[in-house]
Amino acid sequence: MNARTIIMACAMALMSTTAPAQRVGITPESLFTFDDPSMPGKEFRVLRTTYAPGGQNGKHYHVSHVVFYILEGSGIWQEEGKAPVTLRPGDSLHVRPGTVHAHRNASNADKLVFLEFVIVEKGQRSTVQTP
């Protein structure tokens, strides 16, 4: 293990025990957004999201249904009060509105890339961070 890896591991451990985790190392890319007359006031969003090695999104919830589909790497999703789930390429996960959860890249060396499919009120943020 090199010094950088040890420092990163210590920093991640310290952050997880002293303060709520924030969004770190996350790059969302909007691929497609559209609305449909059958769902007035709603829009459908497709995003490709990349988590850098060690990237994480601390406790949060979505105001809408979200389906995650893993393209590359491996990620860990954990709903509040449940055991963590590891997802790999080809795996998917549905998160219901209001479900408090967190997710992170399982690797400190490789990126995690996944698609997000979201139906949400037009102009509304889908993600709400929690303390």
Side-chain angles (χ1 to χ4, degrees):
M1 209 186 274
N2 66 31
R4 183 174 185 266
T5 303
I6 293 169
I7 291 169
M8 286 294 291
C10 290
M12 296 293 281
L14 182 61
M15 282 187 352
S16 67
T17 58
T18 60
Q22 300 298 312
R23 292 175 55 94
V24 176
I26 303 171
T27 307
E29 174 189 358
S30 179
L31 298 178
F32 195 61
T33 301
F34 68 92
D35 43 298
D36 185 300
S38 69
M39 297 181 294
K42 304 251 184 206
E43 66 185 16
F44 189 86
R45 300 175 188 162
V46 179
L47 300 104
R48 179 178 31 235
T49 302
T50 301
Y51 278 44
Q56 65 179 342
N57 192 354
K59 280 187 177 182
H60 64 283
Y61 65 90
H62 300 280
V63 298
S64 59
H65 291 271
V66 178
V67 174
F68 297 98
Y69 180 82
I70 309 306
L71 297 171
E72 183 180 337
S74 140
I76 299 173
W77 271 253
Q78 185 168 15
E79 290 183 13
E80 198 166 59
K82 294 187 177 180
V85 175
T86 301
L87 301 177
R88 293 176 177 78
D91 290 341
S92 62
L93 177 73
H94 170 228
V95 176
R96 296 186 178 281
T99 303
V100 176
H101 64 287
H103 35 94
R104 64 182 172 85
N105 187 340
S107 174
N108 285 322
D110 300 313
K111 65 183 174 180
L112 165 65
V113 182
F114 55 89
L115 295 176
E116 293 180 60
F117 302 90
V118 183
I119 298 174
V120 67
E121 296 292 328
K122 286 184 183 177
Q124 185 177 37
R125 291 184 52 112
S126 172
T127 303
V128 178
Q129 297 299 129
T130 62

